[in-house]
């Protein structure tokens, strides 16, 4: 068997000596470097092809994220075991970032023995994780780092009871703001089961789409009875938008025609369709900083329902139109019944806003009874952009794109500077937005599933 290559990252001379002595007696293990700074640890471990770092947080320049950066190092995983001083306060944080175990200092015989057992286990575990089909580069660790930076990854659904209210237009433009202007990896998913509108609006191939994805996943589901979406499968169905611009906007096309939504793959088994939709969104959540989902109006559709349930935030789009207001208001009791406290994640976007409609904003909001998230002015040029496959926010800034980008800034505040430097304006207290806490309770769907499985 190949020897385990070890980097010792501590400045405590006594510990280094003890480790060197102990390890020299084990032929399967080899010390390859003993750096004395945190940046030295990363450089040595990657250069010397180390398998594991015995890491002390007292090293100069130490940052907890070093643990996840090593574990998710591109070429191969480098596991970490902490050499922790007594009363180290960051132990939980380090474990959350992927540290595979720890011993406490000083290294007495008992701690040393434990350490020698931990080393091969940590290496095996890190390799197994990397080899697993569900491995996702920088999963929880990125989440964690991003939370510190004042934003976090989010799944945002665009929904509304009306047709033509602007769900797709807002989905495309929010996704372009985040993925092209903001340069965050973003996945725009067309899960509207009434019509796939993202592909024609962005000039994407309709060939690879949600229907094909569900079909592929179905093969495994029918064999295993387990709904899962391997990252590679999702990625083969996803297209990068417009490679001529620096773009991190990826798209999953929707159904090619309405009839597809009625096919057996979607309709035969509601439980299965919901579980597969959920699995797709869960995988997307791990792969992308932002997932923007374009939905159709019908909440009884299984794909729509699962997406509404999985999303962290549902932007409910209405026009200043009494019929829109009425139908949206009518669904609120049903949403409350279904989502309980989760109804808080439904927020209102009044799109195509204009005072010429003869309605007052406050009346629109109070009629519907949902918290306002934003209002987006009507602009006849918007449809021109849609028809020319160019997201409106990528054109010269104007009050309508200001409003949409201001929404995106609430998810990703650094976007504000970029937009202003392009000549745009950011509205209101955009930067003060606190993303809603991700639900800690199992989602409604998991509850339903557990009842189902329990039967
Ligand atoms: N803020 C706006 N100003 C002007 N036109 C808009 C605006 N938002 C959307 N539109 C237009 O309204 C129409 C319907 O929009 P769409 O995004 O397809 O709605 P939905 O997805 O809700 O059916 C499109 O022609 C679109 O260009
Ligand atoms: Mg639409």
């Amino acid at each position: 068997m190949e020897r385990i290559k070890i980097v010792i990252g501590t400045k405590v001379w006594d510990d280094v000596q003890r480790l060197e002595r102990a390890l020299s007696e084990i032929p399967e293990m080899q010390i390859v470097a003993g750096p004395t700074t945190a940046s030295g640890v990363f450089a040595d471990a990657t250069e010397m092809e180390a398998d594991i770092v015995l890491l002390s947080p007292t090293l100069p320049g130490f940052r907890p994220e070093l643990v996840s950066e090593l574990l998710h190092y591109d070429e191969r995983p480098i596991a970490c075991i902490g050499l922790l001083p007594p009363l180290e306060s960051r132990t939980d944080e380090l474990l959350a970032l992927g540290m595979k175990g720890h011993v406490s200092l000083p290294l007495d015989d008992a701690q040393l023995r434990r350490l020698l057992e931990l080393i091969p286990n940590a290496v095996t575990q890190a390799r197994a994780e990397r080899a697993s089909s569900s491995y996702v580069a920088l999963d929880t660790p990125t989440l964690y780092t991003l939370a510190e930076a004042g934003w976090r990854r989010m799944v945002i659904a665009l929904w509304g009871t009306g047709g033509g209210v602007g769900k797709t237009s807002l989905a495309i433009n929010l996704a372009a703001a985040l993925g092209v202007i903001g340069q965050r990896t973003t996945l725009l998913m067309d899960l509207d089961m009434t019509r796939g509108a993202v592909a024609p609006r962005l000039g994407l191939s309709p060939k690879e789409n949600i229907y094909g994805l569900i079909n592929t996943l179905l093969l495994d589901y029918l064999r295993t009875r387990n709904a899962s979406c391997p990252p590679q499968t999702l990625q083969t169905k996803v297209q990068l938008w417009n490679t001529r611009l620096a773009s991190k906007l990826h798209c999953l096309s929707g159904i090619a025609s309405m009839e597809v939504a009625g096919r057996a793959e979607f309709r035969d088994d509601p439980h299965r369709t919901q579980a597969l939709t959920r699995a797709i969104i869960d995988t997307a959540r791990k792969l992308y900083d932002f997932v923007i989902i374009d939905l159709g109006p019908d909440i009884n559709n299984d794909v729509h329902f699962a997406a509404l349930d999985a999303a962290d935030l549902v932007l409910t789009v209405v026009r200043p139109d009494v019929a829109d207001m009425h139908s949206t208001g009518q669904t609120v009791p049903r949403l409350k019944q279904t989502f309980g406290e989760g109804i808080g994640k439904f927020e209102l976007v009044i799109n195509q806003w204009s005072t010429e409609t003869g309605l007052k904003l406050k009346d629109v909001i109070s009629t519907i009874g949902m918290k306002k998230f934003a209002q987006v002015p009507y602009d006849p040029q918007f449809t021109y952009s849609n028809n020319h496959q160019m997201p409106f926010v990528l054109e010269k800034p104007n009050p309508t794109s200001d409003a949409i980008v201001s929404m995106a800034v609430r998810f990703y505040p650094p976007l504000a500077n970029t937009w202003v430097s392009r000549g745009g304006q950011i509205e209101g207290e955009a930067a003060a937005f606190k993303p809603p806490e991700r639900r800690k309770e199992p989602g409604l769907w998991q509850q339903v599933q557990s009842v189902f499985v329990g039967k």
Side-chain angles (χ1 to χ4, degrees), residues 158-173 192 194-195 197 201 294-297 317 319 350-353 376-387 392 400-401 404:
L158 276 290
W159 171 75
T161 55
V165 292
K167 299 178 289 293
T168 305
S169 303
L170 293 178
I172 289 174
N173 282 283
D192 182 345
T194 1
R195 60 166 185 179
R201 292 257 176 90
D294 183 20
L295 293 176
V317 188
R319 273 172 311 199
I350 299 109
N351 185 35
Q352 310 191 28
W353 172 250
V376 179
Y378 178 83
D379 184 336
Q381 287 296 314
F382 205 122
T383 305
Y384 180 93
S385 292
N386 266 333
N387 290 340
F392 201 47
T400 295
S401 57
I404 299 174

